[in-house]
Amino acid sequence: MWLSDFRIVLADRVIERGGLRIEDGLIAEISETPVSHAGIEGQGLLLLPGMIDMHGDMIEREIEPRPGVRMPMEMGLRDLDLRLATAGITTAYASLSFAPGSTYGHMRSYDFTSALIRAVVAARPHLLIDHRVHARFEVTFPAALSVVKELVGEGSVDLVSLCDHTPGQGQYRDLDLQAANISKNKGISLEAAAGQLQQRIRERRDTAGDLTATLRAITQYCALHGVPVASHDDDTVEKVTLMDSLGANISEFPVTLEAAEEAHRRSMVNAMGAPNALRGQSYSGNLSARDAHAAGLLDLLAADYHPSAMLPAVLVLAETDPDGLAGAARLTSLNPARALGLEDRGQIRVGLRADLLAASRTGMGQVHATFSRGRLVHADGTLDVSAADRRHEHVIRMS
């Protein structure tokens, strides 16, 4: 099937009015000019590579929309799947945490998180887009190594990140700001919130020990199984140096410009949140993704907690990217594909998966259609898709 009269965003340039043919789920041919008798006429809309999200925190809230209110995992996965397809995301890494003592409680326990990981794996054949697992391990989680061996060994995990959310460093360097946020969210006094933070710091100090050997064993096991490893909330040159020496290849959400610069110097990939880039600032007062982009340090964008921010963030950054829209689009396609070892996708090129999104640049950007491996999985009624391949039973049509 031909898609014609689109502005096709390649990895290095934009074809102003071209065509693309899909066959057997792959990109079979690209034309520099429109073609006749196409299955879908783009009328000048953008055609971009399907977006790859390496870090999405949304599934927990789909399953437990309010504290203690549990919905079936299958329903939560289905709802998130629809939401991601509508946003133009065709490969999504569900970010699921093992974090003892987390404010999320049981939702980041071993039992809940491991069950949810296996539910994602089991549901994959029935979902619209390609769902993968990003397992996050708090460095203070005592069973981290054994759980990594269990889940990575069985093939249930596609990406591992190592996190330290101890107050006073990383994302939470500003204790006053964190205490104010806890006070507001929990409805407690500032004094009580500050007391909770000091208690967590004492617990971290008492249980820390020498974690380096465990972290090294985790990264080595992941390397053995071809699973990439990310560090999380790097805030100092020293932390970046340590994580690079351990084998992490992604610096996820660097907190300071100095940390991002060191990661770049060491050829690590800097990943930051699309909501940060769209808003122009970090919600926690850390490094702005726009500042990192302006400094040439931003390598890829992740949905973080809001998948609809991905396309608008690309369009915003395209205004200042040296390579324009082609360069900004790499942040959600080619760059994450390379960082995550996904050689079959990430750009519009003959022979790769036909993971695509058709979009306009009006307003904050609008995804009008999404293709996952050549199948139409979202259409908003803007395009005439009557001739498209409709074999997939969950095609969305919204007007």
Side-chain angles (χ1 to χ4, degrees):
M1 176 185 66
W2 275 98
L3 314 182
S4 183
D5 198 21
F6 284 90
R7 294 188 66 214
I8 302 176
V9 182
L10 305 180
D12 58 350
R13 63 189 178 95
V14 177
I15 298 175
E16 288 302 322
R17 301 300 273 262
L20 179 149
R21 184 166 63 87
I22 298 172
E23 185 176 327
D24 297 328
L26 303 177
I27 299 169
E29 190 174 352
I30 299 171
S31 171
E32 298 279 342
T33 58
V35 301
S36 58
H37 308 297
I40 297 178
E41 293 286 345
Q43 302 173 1
L45 289 176
L46 296 172
L47 190 66
L48 298 105
M51 293 186 289
I52 300 169
D53 175 27
M54 67 160 283
H55 183 123
D57 283 340
M58 295 77 66
I59 185 58
E60 293 171 337
R61 284 292 167 255
E62 295 287 352
I63 292 173
E64 192 168 299
R66 290 187 176 180
V69 180
R70 180 75 62 84
M71 298 295 168
M73 286 186 182
E74 294 82 0
M75 186 175 78
L77 285 168
R78 181 200 65 195
D79 290 349
L80 178 60
D81 186 44
L82 296 174
R83 184 180 174 193
L84 293 168
T86 302
I89 294 170
T90 53
T91 304
Y93 285 68
S95 181
L96 301 167
S97 297
F98 295 89
S102 166
T103 56
Y104 288 84
H106 70 93
M107 295 191 72
R108 295 192 170 178
S109 66
Y110 165 78
D111 288 341
F112 181 87
T113 301
S114 58
L116 183 50
I117 285 173
R118 292 184 172 110
V120 171
V121 173
R124 280 174 180 164
H126 314 293
L127 298 174
L128 297 171
I129 69 166
D130 186 8
H131 288 263
R132 293 171 179 248
V133 172
H134 173 177
R136 303 172 62 195
F137 290 89
E138 201 69 25
V139 296
T140 52
F141 179 45
L145 179 56
S146 63
V147 176
V148 165
K149 289 184 175 181
E150 173 190 346
L151 295 171
V152 171
E154 70 184 36
S156 296
V157 168
D158 307 285
L159 170 65
V160 165
S161 62
L162 303 174
C163 312
D164 187 352
H165 287 101
T166 305
Q169 55 81 54
Q171 181 181 354
Y172 301 109
R173 293 179 303 151
D174 189 331
L175 289 175
D176 290 339
L177 177 61
Q178 190 178 8
N181 288 336
I182 292 174
S183 173
K184 178 181 177 181
N185 294 336
K186 292 188 174 183
I188 61 177
S189 69
L190 276 173
E191 293 75 15
Q196 289 185 8
L197 293 178
Q198 291 303 321
Q199 178 63 27
R200 288 176 59 188
I201 292 172
R202 286 192 294 270
E203 290 172 354
R204 171 72 165 86
R205 188 184 304 122
D206 293 341
T207 60
D210 183 8
L211 296 171
T212 304
T214 299
L215 297 178
R216 190 178 303 280
I218 289 172
T219 56
Q220 288 177 344
Y221 190 83
C222 289
L224 184 65
H225 288 78
V227 173
V229 174
S231 58
H232 189 77
D233 292 342
D234 296 332
D235 58 338
T236 65
V237 169
E238 291 74 19
K239 184 175 180 183
V240 172
T241 301
L242 171 63
M243 299 311 297
D244 177 50
S245 71
L246 293 174
N249 66 308
I250 301 169
S251 178
E252 187 182 34
F253 309 134
V255 170
T256 65
L257 190 64
E258 293 76 20
E261 287 172 338
E262 183 64 17
H264 180 75
R265 191 182 73 79
R266 291 176 173 274
S267 299
M268 296 175 70
V269 174
N270 281 315
M272 300 190 73
N276 180 333
L278 178 60
R279 296 173 66 244
Q281 60 183 354
S282 161
Y283 77 90
S284 54
N286 295 320
L287 176 63
S288 162
R290 290 197 199 180
D291 289 345
H293 181 253
L297 301 173
L298 179 62
D299 297 304
L300 65 88
L301 290 173
D304 197 1
Y305 53 88
H306 197 51
S308 295
M310 290 278 272
L311 176 62
V314 166
L315 297 178
V316 166
L317 294 180
E319 298 300 322
T320 56
D321 194 285
D323 293 330
L325 184 56
R330 292 196 294 266
L331 300 173
T332 57
S333 54
L334 180 60
N335 293 357
R338 286 177 171 172
L340 299 168
L342 304 176
E343 298 180 356
D344 63 344
R345 70 196 76 182
Q347 58 182 310
I348 295 179
R349 197 183 77 195
V350 172
L352 297 188
R353 284 173 54 124
D355 289 351
L356 307 162
L357 67 105
S360 61
R361 299 188 70 158
T362 57
M364 294 306 298
Q366 176 65 43
V367 177
H368 297 301
T370 305
F371 293 84
S372 177
R373 196 167 246 170
R375 300 179 303 186
L376 181 66
V377 295
H378 162 66
D380 71 353
T382 301
L383 294 168
D384 180 5
V385 296
S386 57
D389 182 352
R390 304 294 291 277
R391 288 176 296 175
H392 198 273
E393 66 184 31
H394 297 298
V395 168
I396 310 164
R397 178 178 281 278
M398 298 163 55
S399 57

